[in-house]
Amino acid sequence: MGMQPRHRTRCRGDDEDGECKTCDGDRTHRPPLKPATHGREAYSPSRYAHDAVTTQPADREPTNELRFSVIVPAFRAEATITATIESLLAQSYLPREIIVVDDGSPDETAEVVAGFGAPVVLIRQENGGTSSARNRGIAAATGDVICFLDADDVYEPGRLASVAAAFAAEPELDAVLTDAALVEPARTVLASSWWPAEANRVRLDIRAKIIFCALCIRRPVLTELGPFDQRFHLLEDVEMWHRIVCRGYRVGYVDEPSYIYKINPVGKTQAAQTVNGEWELFRIDLRYALAWKTPLSWRPRLAFRSLRHLRTSLKARVSR
């Protein structure tokens, strides 16, 4: 059972005389202890991915060596943030902290988050975009490993345990990526299905399209990489992935779809396929085709791909 937010709502009176029969006299309601869904179904792991890790919360350990900080940028997420946080609190390997950065939401996102206790931490800021919110969360994080989660997605209960096991098995790894299940109304596909058949699933390279939030990175590595580039408004995570692999960081892979990515028809995933998305892809690929840290064997591929994105972007602009 998920945790119920502890925020209170003002009593408006339930009977004809305006007297409330459920408050405790101070004119505030205390919600009953039941799973809070805020307009969506309660989180159910098996509903989204059949092959995901399903370690139950009862198996959790109270202390763990590797400390995880999970960064959740949130904007207008009142309807989804509860299930997102509950999926983190249901982890068999509990995170050290869950940092939710409310990016100037005009709804009650911050109030919902504030109803949770530790390890949930709420940071509020003026609207600055996803990159700004992630950077703010990273700056506040104290864990050994930084993970990311969008405010309308969820983790399977065994996700952090599988990532911790991967780091323990190969301590030299700088980051660990898990597979992800992309959930649409009519179908579910795996992120790994995008990869070329010859791609190395243990040491990924620039060819792999990934769900960036399925990546967990050691905090010192993120410090070396620097912040997300706020000049990219749609594909800042793609730029960061290029930065990671082109600089030769070691990325491990867990072949389990333990990140559940909800496809939003009006979200950033779809927006990335627009003219502006193609233009940002052109800029990213060109940047790393010319970067001196990019392996020489990758540069022709990146240069060719950048021209393809440029052509697509220009054709779309002309056809408008």
Side-chain angles (χ1 to χ4, degrees):
M1 178 176 292
M3 291 185 61
Q4 171 71 17
R6 294 294 190 262
H7 60 282
R8 300 180 179 183
T9 55
R10 294 301 303 171
C11 172
R12 292 184 175 86
D14 291 337
D15 60 15
E16 295 179 355
D17 299 324
E19 295 294 325
C20 179
K21 299 182 183 302
T22 58
C23 74
D24 56 0
D26 63 352
R27 307 298 288 170
T28 59
H29 286 285
R30 289 172 174 80
L33 291 176
K34 62 180 181 179
T37 59
H38 288 270
R40 63 177 287 171
E41 292 182 290
Y43 169 68
S44 174
S46 60
R47 181 179 297 126
Y48 303 117
H50 299 294
D51 300 324
V53 179
T54 55
T55 306
Q56 298 302 314
D59 298 330
R60 69 177 60 180
E61 295 292 337
T63 59
N64 305 284
E65 289 187 11
L66 200 62
R67 300 171 301 175
F68 287 95
S69 296
V70 183
I71 312 299
V72 184
F75 180 71
R76 291 180 176 171
E78 175 187 2
T80 60
I81 193 66
T82 294
T84 297
I85 293 175
E86 286 179 348
S87 77
L88 294 172
L89 295 174
Q91 291 296 300
S92 58
Y93 191 122
L94 285 172
R96 174 186 178 89
E97 56 198 2
I98 301 165
I99 302 175
V100 181
V101 182
D102 177 46
D103 192 34
S105 298
D107 60 9
E108 295 188 2
T109 297
E111 287 73 15
V112 174
V113 175
F116 289 91
V120 180
V121 178
L122 171 65
I123 297 176
R124 306 182 73 166
Q125 67 173 29
E126 294 184 3
N127 182 254
T130 304
S131 294
S132 172
R134 284 178 175 159
N135 290 337
R136 183 77 178 275
I138 293 169
T142 61
D144 305 308
V145 175
I146 307 296
C147 300
F148 300 95
L149 179 59
D150 286 343
D152 56 352
D153 296 337
V154 293
Y155 281 4
E156 289 285 23
R159 173 173 166 73
L160 293 183
S162 66
V163 172
F167 276 118
E170 297 185 73
E172 76 280 3
L173 290 177
D174 299 305
V176 170
L177 175 74
T178 71
D179 203 352
L182 285 74
V183 179
E184 298 180 272
R187 63 172 185 162
T188 297
V189 299
L190 299 183
S192 56
S193 66
W194 296 340
W195 303 343
E198 70 275 14
N200 186 326
R201 295 195 175 199
V202 177
R203 294 291 185 269
L204 299 174
D205 62 28
I206 204 69
R207 296 170 296 175
K209 295 180 181 179
I210 71 163
I211 299 298
F212 187 85
C213 284
L215 189 67
C216 297
I217 311 171
R218 293 191 187 274
R219 186 155 60 97
V221 172
L222 269 178
T223 301
E224 293 175 1
L225 286 166
F228 284 90
D229 192 335
Q230 295 181 212
R231 291 171 293 184
F232 295 97
H233 302 291
L234 295 174
L235 299 170
E236 74 290 331
D237 50 356
V238 174
E239 192 279 331
M240 180 64 82
W241 171 244
H242 279 55
R243 211 184 304 177
I244 290 169
V245 295
C246 288
R247 294 186 185 183
Y249 287 103
R250 295 153 296 188
V251 180
Y253 176 68
V254 178
D255 192 13
E256 297 167 351
S258 56
Y259 187 100
I260 311 303
Y261 187 95
K262 309 292 185 62
I263 300 294
N264 183 349
V266 295
K268 287 183 64 178
T269 302
Q270 303 304 315
Q273 300 174 7
T274 64
V275 173
N276 291 335
E278 289 290 333
W279 179 251
E280 287 196 2
L281 287 171
F282 159 69
R283 292 166 55 202
I284 292 169
D285 281 348
L286 182 61
R287 170 185 290 186
Y288 288 96
L290 301 176
W292 68 271
K293 289 188 177 181
T294 302
L296 289 175
S297 61
W298 293 0
R299 295 184 187 183
R301 179 188 297 271
L302 286 167
F304 175 79
R305 204 166 65 179
S306 70
L307 294 176
R308 186 178 62 194
H309 290 308
L310 176 61
R311 182 182 63 181
T312 302
S313 176
L314 293 177
K315 286 177 63 176
R317 290 175 188 272
V318 170
S319 62
R320 279 182 171 181

